Amino acid sequence: MVDPLQILLNEHTWSTIRNTPGSTHHLISLGGSGGGELLDWVAETGHYSVWVGEPAPGATADPYRPAARTEGNFATIRAGHTLTHLADTPGNWSEGNVMDLELATKNVRIYRYHRGITSGDPIPTKVNSARFFSIGQGHTLIYLDHDRVLDWEPATGRARIWNYDRARTTTDPLPTKVTETVWDGVLSNYQVLYLGGDLLLFWNQTSGRVTVWRYDRSLSGDNTDPFTVLEMEDSWAGEIAAGRIIHYLGGDRVLDWDPATGHERIWDFDRPMMAAPAFQAMLNRDIATARTWVVSAQAAIAAYQLGLVSGVHDVQWLATDAALLTHFHAQNHAGGIQAALSAILTTYNLVLARLTTGTSSFSQVSKQQAVTHLGSRAKYTRGYTFRDVATHLTPSYRPFDTIGNSGLDGAGDKLRAAIIIHETVHFVGNNPDSATEWEPGYATLTAEQAVTNPSSYAAFAHHILTNHDLRFGNEPWN
């Protein structure tokens, strides 16, 4: 048995985010970087506050900043409504949608959320107004990332998954059913929580039993339960009391909140590893992508070297020259540009050799193993390397999840390929991290630092192949 919430990160009591007579609070996790964002709205008055999380709150400090980023009163959202954060499509990190369902009438409205709003309504723009045919009173909606929504009826255990169509503006935004099943015994005494990364938590508040199941997105059809693999199982009896409400905040953090008292705790989610076949298939694709980038970089540098000697420049000369200056500052190297190019090409050759014949030194490790290797949860990341020994990829190395912390909740195809190159540069030599490609210090590295900087190799290789200077850490969905 494995408890998914083993480590308590924060414990605090809110003085205002709690229920009082005539004041029923609802919390909606809005994802976001750092400590994430939380919408608190009051059913009776429509009052809302958007709270911005502290990236590293103290063990007993308020995990959110002292002042709300924006607050006010919704014009129409009152008791009888339920709000669901629909996150966003990859590529719009600062945007998101929020679904407002009026349960009694089945009227549904979808609003655009923007993290930049600091005054007034945080969801001011309506993007869809429609009516559900069968989703209303007694239903709970849970966003499952990648434009799918779970529709669960606690009274019966019926569970349907719908495709979410963002393009619709006046018609049902959940037009097509993917799966339908009835969960035996998963009724009103349960809370169900999506944890990102295709994991769904079921908590029986009566018995305390808690399980985590993996979602198989490939399944479809009626009488089909797509949560097929039991990943974790334990009991919260005596640990988390019935009546408390749990929310996934992103970044492997789960909020456990008592609405009666305002007492809150934030736990570290001990995310399990991906199933070995799925992980290996993903890793094989990422390594193949990384090899393509490296081969392109090698060819460009070899042609550039030849042009320096012969004075005959290929059509890519100027683009290569600019990319070398941007990522390696090679023209400023103390030993001259040829010395810089030689060092860069030597490293790329070693990287390609490993990505061609040494891929067995990549392995998936558990979160506990990674934390032990890295020394603390504060250093937990998607991947890390022991030189000439192994590269370990953690449960955070997985396809991008559209909610949560951009530093932990998955990574897009390009970012994962960049991680493979980055970690391999560590593997093949004494190449310390001087600056990541998205940090201001990246532009001010000396040439001597840049030619040993792992991020420079990933960014340059992609830049050469695509003629696009992508700073991966700023765009985790890519």
Side-chain angles (χ1 to χ4, degrees), residues 114 143 210 380:
H114 195 288
Y143 187 58
V210 59
Y380 177 68

Side-chain angles (χ1 to χ4, degrees), residues 286 289 293 411-420 458 462 466 468 470 472 475-478:
D286 297 342
T289 299
W293 295 8
D413 295 348
K414 294 184 180 67
L415 177 53
R416 294 198 310 274
I419 290 169
I420 294 298
H462 178 266
T466 65
H468 174 48
L470 177 63
F472 306 101
E475 301 184 8
W477 52 84
N478 265 311

Side-chain angles (χ1 to χ4, degrees), residues 52 79 84 219 224 226 230 273:
V52 178
T84 304
L219 298 179
T224 300
L230 178 63
M273 297 188 294

Side-chain angles (χ1 to χ4, degrees), residues 35 142 436 463:
I142 301 170
T436 52
H463 193 165

